[in-house]
Amino acid sequence: MKKIKKKLPKNPIKNDFLKNLVTIILLFVFMSALFSMAGLSTEKPVEISISKLAQKVDEEKVKEIIVKEDIVEITLNDEKETKETALKDTNSSLETSLREDYGVNQEKIVKANIIMKDKTGIEKFLLAFGPSLLLFILVGFLLWMMLGQAQKQNGQAMSFGKSKAKFLKPGEKKTTFKDVAGIKEAKEELLEIVDFLKHPKKFLDLGARIPRGVLLLGAPGTGKTLLAKAVAGEADVPFFNISGSEFVEMFVGVGASRVRDLFKNAQKHAPSILFIDEIDAVGRHRGAGLGGGHDEREQTLNQILVEMDGFNTETNVIVMAATNRPDVLDPALLRPGRFDRRVTLDLPDINDREEILQVHAKNKPIDKGVNLRKIAERTPGFSGAELFNLLNEAAILTARENKKIINEVAILDSIEKVMMGPEKKSNLLLKNEKEITAYHEAGHALLGHILPKTDPIHKISIVSRGRAAGYTLNLPEEDRHFHTKSEFLDNLVMLMGGYTAEQTVFHDLTTGASNDLMRASRIARELVTKYGMSEKIGPVVFGQHSETVFLGKEIHEQRNYSEKVAADIDAEVDRIIKEASSRSAELIKEHRAKLDKIAKRLIEVETIEKDEFKELMK
C-alpha cells in the first residue's frame, strides 16, 4: 500500500517574518547605494600634490580654488575648466603654505581666487551620526513590522469565537419569489412568514406568536437556499447566511460562542432572517457516544436550542434552516417552539420544470425553434440545479462548436451528458462487441415498445457514455407518483431484454448485462420485502434499514424475520426474476425479425431517435 505523505500547512507567521526581513534587507541595500551614488560625481577629479598646485598657481593656470577643511577643490583656467583636488595640512591655511613654503607671489595667489568654505551643520551631523541614525531607523522599522504582525495574529485569535455569517442588507442583491420558479405550495406556505415580518402587529394583537423557525426539507438542488433568500427579499429584512459546518472547530466552546455572537447580531438587526444551511452538520442526534460529553458538535447544538427557545423568548428573529437529511436531526430541534414550520420542497413536475427552464434560458441565446416543453418532458426527476446545469452544458457545447445560438440538438445532447456523462468517441468497440451491444440495446428497446406498462422509447444508442457501452432511453409521458405491480413486472421483463437477446442470438453471455441484473434483483426484492406485492409472502414489510455516515456511508438492515422467512423471500425473488427472464425470451423469439432490424440499423448509424424507432416498429 502506497504511503501518502501529508503536506504540512505553512506557518503564516514565519512566512510573514521572512517577507519582512527580505524587504528590510533590500531597503538597506537600496539606501546604501543611494548614499554612495550621492557622494560620487559623474567624473572623478585628478588628485595632485600641494607642490604641484603651487606650481600651477605660479604659472597662473588656476581659475578658482575652494577650500573645505583639508580638501582643496581646484578649477583650472583652460577651455574645459578641468577639476582637480589636493590635500592640505589642517594646521595651516592654504594661502600661507603657498606663500611661505613654496614662495608663490601674493599677487598670483590673489588671482587664483581662493574661497574658504566650512561644512554646514546638517553635513556635519550626517557625517557624524548618519550611519547610526540609518541603523536606528532600520531596527525601528523591523520592530514596527513585527509588532504589527503580532497584533494581527492577536486580533485573529480574539475574533476566533465570532460569527462567520455572511450579512446581506435589505435591498442588497435582492431575490424575490419571482426568481424562484415552481414550488408553488412552498412559496404559499412561506408567504405567511413574509407577512409576519412585514406586519407583526396584526398577529400579535390576536395573541399569535411569530414562528421561531422554518425548516426547509428537500433533495439536493431543489432550491432551499434560493427560497430562503427570496423570503428575506420579499420581506425586505436583513439576511444572515451561514453553513452548519462553520460553527464547528477543533476547540471546544468555539461553536457555542459563534452561535451566541450570530444570534446577538441578528437581534441587533431585528426583524431579520437567520439562515443555517446544512443544519444536519450540527443538528444530529445527541448522545451518540462519539466525542464524549464534551463533543463540540453537541455543545453547539445545545446553544442553538437555547437561543431559539430558551430564556429569551421576546425576539423577532426567524431562523430558517435547510437539510436533505431530516431523519438524523435531534428531536429537540423539531419540537414546537423551535422549528414550528416544515416546508417540503419536492422535485419539480413537468410544469415546474418548464418554468425553471424558462428562468434559466432568459440570459442565453436560445434558438426560437427550441420547445422547452419537450425538454421538460425528457427530464423527469431533474432538480432545479440539474436543469440549470443542463442549459449551462448546452451553452458550453455551443461555444465549443463556435456557434452563436443554442439549438435543440445541443440541449438534448446535454441531457444525456448530465444523466450519464460525456460521449466516449475515442472508446471504439471491436466489431463483435459492437454487434453484441447493438443486439443488447435492441432487446431493451423492442420489449419496451411491446410491453403495455413500460415508458415510451425516446432514444437508443451504442455510443459509449460514462461506464455504459450503450443505452436505451425510455421516459414517462407524464409525472407519476404511484406505480403498480404490473408496471414493475413489465419493467423487469424489459430489463432482462438485453440479457436474453444476447443469449438468444449469440448463445453466450457477456458482462454487459451486470447492471441490468443488479437493478432487476433490487426491484424484485423490493416487490417482496418493501411493497408487499408477493402473493406467497403477503402484505408484510421485512427488515428495518438504518444509515451510518460516521466512517463512510453504510446502510444496514436489521433483520426482523426468521431464517425460514429469509429462505422464502429468496425463493420468491428468484421466481420473479426467472419468470421475467422466461417471458422476455419468449417475446424476443416471437419478434426476432424486428430485433434484427433494430440491431442492424444501430450498427449502421449508432443512434436511433424516437421518430425513426417508431417507423422501424411499424
Side-chain angles (χ1 to χ4, degrees):
M1 195 171 179
K2 233 179 176 182
K3 285 188 178 179
I4 301 172
K5 291 184 178 179
K6 190 174 180 182
K7 207 170 183 181
L8 293 173
K10 293 181 179 178
N11 188 344
I13 301 175
K14 184 178 178 182
N15 290 341
D16 290 339
F17 176 77
L18 290 174
K19 287 179 184 176
N20 295 336
L21 187 61
V22 170
T23 304
I24 290 168
I25 292 171
L26 292 175
L27 184 63
F28 179 76
V29 171
F30 173 74
M31 292 180 71
S32 301
L34 195 64
F35 274 107
S36 300
M37 290 175 65
L40 296 175
S41 61
T42 54
E43 186 178 349
K44 190 175 181 180
V46 177
E47 188 174 342
I48 61 174
S49 63
I50 293 294
S51 60
K52 189 74 173 174
L53 172 61
Q55 183 183 346
K56 289 186 178 185
V57 172
D58 191 51
E59 293 173 357
E60 298 184 359
K61 291 182 179 180
V62 177
K63 181 181 180 181
E64 185 183 60
I65 297 173
I66 297 173
V67 181
K68 295 180 179 178
E69 293 186 354
D70 59 343
I71 298 172
V72 180
E73 295 178 358
I74 307 157
T75 304
L76 298 181
N77 196 7
D78 57 7
E79 292 181 359
K80 295 182 180 179
E81 294 188 349
T82 308
K83 304 288 185 181
E84 292 179 344
T85 62
L87 291 175
K88 74 174 188 67
D89 187 5
T90 54
N91 296 324
S92 62
S93 67
L94 179 64
E95 186 177 346
T96 304
S97 182
L98 290 174
R99 187 176 61 249
E100 295 180 358
D101 296 340
Y102 297 100
V104 181
N105 193 328
Q106 180 66 31
E107 292 180 1
K108 292 181 179 180
I109 293 173
V110 172
K111 286 181 180 180
N113 192 20
I114 298 175
I115 301 170
M116 306 295 294
K117 280 190 177 181
D118 290 331
K119 290 184 179 178
T120 63
I122 295 174
E123 290 177 335
K124 291 178 180 179
F125 178 79
L126 288 176
L127 285 171
F129 301 104
S132 301
L133 184 62
L134 180 62
L135 182 61
F136 178 77
I137 291 171
L138 290 175
V139 171
F141 180 73
L142 177 61
L143 289 173
W144 178 76
M145 293 288 287
M146 292 175 65
L147 287 172
Q149 190 64 38
Q151 286 179 355
K152 184 180 177 182
Q153 296 297 327
N154 189 39
Q156 290 178 355
M158 293 298 290
S159 64
F160 198 62
K162 298 293 182 182
S163 166
K164 295 183 178 180
K166 300 174 186 69
F167 174 55
L168 288 179
K169 297 178 182 177
E172 184 181 353
K173 297 180 182 179
K174 192 172 182 179
T175 304
T176 63
F177 285 152
K178 291 180 181 179
D179 302 312
V180 185
I183 50 177
K184 297 180 182 65
E185 294 80 6
K187 286 191 283 188
E188 288 174 4
E189 182 75 14
L190 291 171
L191 275 173
E192 288 184 12
I193 305 298
V194 174
D195 206 13
F196 270 125
L197 291 166
K198 280 186 172 181
H199 313 289
K201 191 175 183 300
K202 72 175 183 179
F203 294 97
L204 294 173
D205 289 344
L206 294 171
R209 193 188 73 172
I210 295 176
R212 284 277 181 262
V214 179
L215 187 62
L216 303 178
L217 312 173
T222 48
K224 299 183 289 294
T225 304
L226 184 64
L227 193 58
K229 287 182 180 178
V231 173
E234 288 285 339
D236 201 28
V237 296
F239 183 74
F240 293 84
N241 179 18
I242 192 169
S243 170
S245 60
E246 291 183 59
F247 290 114
V248 182
E249 292 282 353
M250 64 181 290
F251 304 107
V252 174
V254 172
S257 175
R258 288 179 179 174
V259 170
R260 287 191 294 271
D261 186 64
L262 176 61
F263 275 86
K264 184 180 178 181
N265 290 335
Q267 287 165 10
K268 283 181 183 177
H269 296 84
S272 60
I273 291 178
L274 196 161
F275 178 62
I276 305 174
D277 202 2
E278 304 296 345
I279 194 173
D280 51 276
V282 291
R284 291 175 179 269
H285 281 280
R286 289 172 293 175
L290 303 175
H294 295 288
D295 183 12
E296 170 65 0
R297 182 183 55 78
E298 289 195 7
Q299 301 300 326
T300 305
L301 174 58
N302 290 338
Q303 190 63 45
I304 292 175
L305 296 175
V306 171
E307 293 289 345
M308 286 190 70
D309 191 25
F311 291 104
N312 186 13
T313 56
E314 300 299 323
T315 178
N316 50 353
V317 175
I318 292 180
V319 182
M320 299 187 73
T323 182
N324 51 11
R325 294 291 314 279
D327 53 307
V328 302
L329 294 180
D330 193 274
L333 266 178
L334 304 177
R335 74 158 175 81
R338 292 204 172 105
F339 283 104
D340 303 283
R341 301 290 178 90
R342 298 178 205 174
V343 180
T344 303
L345 280 68
D346 297 317
L347 289 170
D349 59 19
I350 185 169
N351 296 320
D352 290 343
R353 291 197 297 274
E354 186 178 6
E355 286 183 25
I356 293 168
L357 286 168
Q358 287 171 355
V359 169
H360 294 314
K362 282 181 182 177
N363 62 341
K364 292 180 175 63
I366 305 288
D367 187 14
K368 293 180 179 178
V370 173
N371 185 356
L372 292 179
R373 182 73 180 186
K374 181 181 176 182
I375 306 302
E377 289 174 358
R378 289 192 74 155
T379 51
F382 272 49
S383 66
E386 288 174 319
L387 292 170
F388 167 78
N389 192 34
L390 159 67
L391 290 181
N392 188 58
E393 288 290 346
I396 292 171
L397 182 61
T398 304
R400 191 185 301 161
E401 295 175 354
N402 296 319
K403 296 179 181 178
K404 302 295 183 183
I405 304 295
I406 302 171
N407 56 27
E408 192 171 275
V409 175
I411 297 176
L412 293 177
D413 285 345
S414 298
I415 293 174
E416 293 163 30
K417 184 178 180 180
V418 171
M419 290 174 67
M420 292 172 284
E423 282 188 357
K424 294 183 179 178
K425 295 179 181 179
S426 60
N427 189 14
L428 300 176
L429 298 172
L430 299 174
K431 186 178 179 181
N432 64 322
E433 289 179 337
K434 190 173 183 179
E435 189 177 4
I436 292 169
T437 305
Y439 271 98
H440 181 103
E441 299 305 330
H444 288 309
L446 176 64
L447 297 184
H449 177 76
I450 295 169
L451 296 166
K453 297 291 185 179
T454 55
D455 297 323
I457 304 297
H458 280 255
K459 186 175 182 178
I460 318 160
S461 176
I462 56 172
V463 178
S464 178
R465 276 187 184 272
R467 298 177 66 182
Y471 57 94
T472 301
L473 194 64
N474 64 319
L475 301 168
E477 293 179 337
E478 55 187 12
D479 294 314
R480 292 195 296 269
H481 300 91
F482 299 101
H483 299 278
T484 63
K485 181 181 177 181
S486 56
E487 287 176 13
F488 281 122
L489 293 177
D490 279 3
N491 279 316
L492 277 174
V493 175
M494 181 185 170
L495 279 172
M496 299 301 295
Y499 176 86
T500 51
E502 289 182 24
Q503 198 173 34
T504 302
V505 176
F506 301 102
H507 305 290
D508 200 359
L509 295 172
T510 68
T511 57
S514 60
N515 184 256
D516 298 331
L517 296 176
M518 183 175 66
R519 290 166 60 195
S521 301
R522 189 187 72 245
I523 292 172
R525 188 163 291 275
E526 286 178 348
L527 281 173
V528 177
T529 63
K530 189 175 180 181
Y531 303 126
M533 293 181 178
S534 168
E535 294 177 1
K536 180 179 179 182
I537 301 295
V540 184
V541 174
F542 296 98
Q544 295 177 352
H545 294 83
S546 61
E547 194 169 314
T548 302
V549 291
F550 177 52
L551 296 174
K553 187 174 180 180
E554 297 179 3
I555 298 177
H556 303 280
E557 181 187 22
Q558 183 181 350
R559 288 182 58 171
N560 54 1
Y561 48 90
S562 65
E563 292 295 332
K564 181 181 180 304
V565 174
D568 292 340
I569 291 171
D570 291 340
E572 191 66 3
V573 170
D574 182 62
R575 180 190 67 80
I576 292 171
I577 294 291
K578 285 182 177 177
E579 284 183 3
S581 179
S582 176
R583 188 181 172 200
S584 171
E586 289 173 7
L587 289 171
I588 282 177
K589 286 176 183 176
E590 185 181 344
H591 300 87
R592 175 65 187 271
K594 288 184 178 179
L595 179 75
D596 293 336
K597 196 175 181 182
I598 299 167
K600 287 175 183 176
R601 183 61 180 162
L602 272 176
I603 293 169
E604 288 176 17
V605 297
E606 293 187 336
T607 300
I608 301 175
E609 291 288 347
K610 181 180 179 180
D611 295 335
E612 185 182 358
F613 178 70
K614 284 183 177 179
E615 289 296 322
L616 286 172
M617 291 295 98
K618 281 184 179 179

